[in-house]
Amino acid sequence: MSNQVKVWSNGVLAAILVGTVTIAGCSKSNESSESPTASSSPSASTVAATPKTEEPYELKMLKAQDISKPYDPSKDAVKQAVEKKLNIKIIPEMVDVQQYKTKLNLKMSSGEIPDVVRIDFADDFQKYAQQGAFADLTSLINEKDTPNILKEVPKEVFEQAKVNGKIYGIPYQGGPGSGYRWNLVLRKDFVEGMGAQVPKTLDEYYNLLKKSKAEKPDVIPLGGYTAQIGQQKYANNSFDHIFGAFGVTPGYFTEKDGKFSNYDIDPKMREALLYLQKMYAEGLIDKEFATIKEEQLRVKLYSGKLLSWMGWWSTPNDYDMQVETNELKKNGQLGADGKLADQSSQPYKYLSLTQSLVGTDGKAVAPAGAPFGQMHAISAKTKDPKKVLAIIENSLSPENQMLTVWGIEGEDYKIDNGKMRVVTDLIDPKTQQDKNGNFRGIQSYLFAPGLKGWPRYLESLPLRQSQALDVAINNKFQITDTSNYLDSPTKLAKLVELNTMRDSVFTQIIMGADIKKFDEFAEKWKSQGGTKILTELEESLKKKSGK
C-alpha cells in the first residue's frame, strides 16, 4: 500500500486509469463560433424560418487502446450515443496504450497535432505550450462563457496550470482516488468496548490511547510502518494525523506572498516531534514502527493487537474482512472453507474511519495529492479553437457528463430507487462486446476533469469503498504542496537526499534523541540545497504568473 497507483477492485472503474485520450462535446444550432456559449434572441423572421441543422463538428483525436483486447470504434454504442447527443463526429486514430506518449510526441514534433489532446502536464504540456502548439484560452475561460468548466476546475487550479501566465489547457485528473488519500482507522469494537467514542481532537485521541494502554496492555495503541521499498516517504504517513494537528505535514512546501518555506523546518514541526517523543516514551506508539513493513503491521491488526493506524483509503474493506475472519476463527464460528462472502457492499463491522484530528486551535492540515496530472489542450492549428472550447464547455453539463462518464442510462448504468448502479455484466469479457455485438467505450470519450470526482462518483463504488473515499476526499483540512507544477532543478537533484536526512533525524527524535537534532537538521536542510530550492520555486512562480 502506498501513495502511488492503486488498483481498483471495481471492474468498470479500472477503465478510469487506462491512458485514454478523450473527446466529447456539444454543439447547439444557434451557437456562434465567436463565443463558447454565445446565443442571441431570434427575430420574428428567424422564428418563421425553418431551423437550419448544423453539421456535426469533426474532432480528430489520438485514442489510446489496449490492443490485447478487441475494439472497433465504428461499433462503439457509447461513442455513437455521444456523437448523436452532442452533435459531433469523432475521428479517432487508434494507438496502443503503451505507445501513446511516444506516438503523441511524434505528432507534436511533426506539427500533426490532433484537435484536442490529453497530455501529461509535468514535461510535455509545458514544453509544447511554450512552443505555441496549443491555443491560448486565457481570455476565453471566464464565468460568463465557461461556467461549467469553472465549476469543474477552480480558478486557483487554473493558476497552477498556467504556463508563462497564460492558460493553454484544462486540468484533468480522472477521479479523486489518486494522490494522498489517508484516513485514521481505529478498531471500532475496541473503542466501544472501552465505553469511549471515536476522537475528533488530538487531546481526545491521546486520552483514548492512554485508556487503551491501561485497559488493553497487549494492544498497540498506535501502529506505524516504514515506506515501501524504493520510496522516500517518512514512515509512510504513519503520523500524519499527529503532525496535522500541529498544522504541519512532512515534506510539503508552503508559500505566502510569493515566499516559500517547507514544513520540515517549521517551528511547529519541532513541537509535533516533541509530542510524538512523549507518546513513544509512554508506550503509545509501536516500538517497531521504524523497522517493520506494512505486511507486518497487518499481522498485528488481524490478530487483534492494534487499536489505530493511518491507512490508505481503499484498504479498510479487505482489512475489516480479515479482522472478522480471525475473530470468527478464534470463536470457532468460521465456516469450513475458512472464507467470508464478499462484504464490500456492507457497512464496516470492526473498523471506524475518521478525518483529521484538530489541535487546540480547532484546525489541522492533511496532505492531499497534486490536483491534476494531465491537461486537455486544444491544438493551435484546429480550424476553430473557440468552437472546440464550446464543445468542451457543453460536454460538462451534468446531463452530458452522465453520458460521457457512465454511458447510456438503462444499459451501462441504471437508477434504482434514486441510486445509480453500474451494470457490470453487460460485456462479454472475451469479445468485449454486448449481446448485440456493440463495443461500449465507457469513459473513452469524455472531458470531465474529475478533480472533485465525476457525477455520482461515490455511488459507483461498493459501499465500503465509497465510505472510505468519502472520508478521504471530503476532509476539509486537506492542503496541496505549493511546489506542485513549479520548476526547481535543485529540488530534483537534492530532495531525495534531504528527505532521507529528515527521515533519519525525525525517527531518532521520536525515539528519544535530543530535540537539538531538529535545529541542526533545519540548518543542514537550508545549507545543503533547501535554501536554493526555495529561491528557485519563487523564481518559477513569478515566471508562471507572467511576472
Side-chain angles (χ1 to χ4, degrees), residues 19-20 28 35 44 48 63 72 121 144 244 265-266 302 310 350 381 383 413 430 459 467 487 511 544:
T20 57
K28 297 180 180 179
S35 173
K63 185 183 186 307
D72 181 349
F121 178 87
K144 176 180 179 294
I265 59 173
D266 192 300
Y302 299 162
M310 286 294 288
Y350 289 88
K381 293 185 176 182
K383 61 182 180 180
Y413 72 90
K430 291 183 179 180
E459 284 184 49
Q467 290 177 334
D487 295 324
M511 289 182 160
K544 176 179 284 290

Side-chain angles (χ1 to χ4, degrees), residues 121-122 126 157 159-162 171 173 369-374 480-487 491 537 540 544:
F121 178 87
Q126 295 182 87
V157 175
E159 286 297 318
Q160 293 178 299
K162 284 183 176 179
Q173 184 68 298
F372 62 93
Q374 296 179 310
T480 58
D481 188 332
T482 57
S483 69
N484 288 332
Y485 318 117
L486 297 178
D487 295 324
K491 180 185 173 186
L537 292 176
S540 180
K544 176 179 284 290

Side-chain angles (χ1 to χ4, degrees), residues 355-401:
Q355 295 184 356
S356 294
L357 301 171
V358 298
T360 55
D361 60 356
K363 298 178 181 179
V365 300
F372 62 93
Q374 296 179 310
M375 299 288 289
H376 274 124
I378 300 173
S379 170
K381 293 185 176 182
T382 197
K383 61 182 180 180
D384 192 342
K386 291 183 179 180
K387 180 68 174 181
V388 177
L389 185 62
I391 290 172
I392 296 174
E393 164 66 18
N394 288 321
S395 77
L396 297 183
S397 71
E399 177 186 358
N400 290 338
Q401 284 196 59

Side-chain angles (χ1 to χ4, degrees), residues 2 103 127 163-164 166 188 217 242 270 343 364 373 398 489 515 518:
S2 77
K103 182 71 172 180
K127 176 178 68 177
V163 175
N164 294 340
K166 295 183 178 181
K188 178 172 61 175
I242 306 297
R270 193 180 194 274
Q343 298 185 27
I515 193 61
F518 174 81

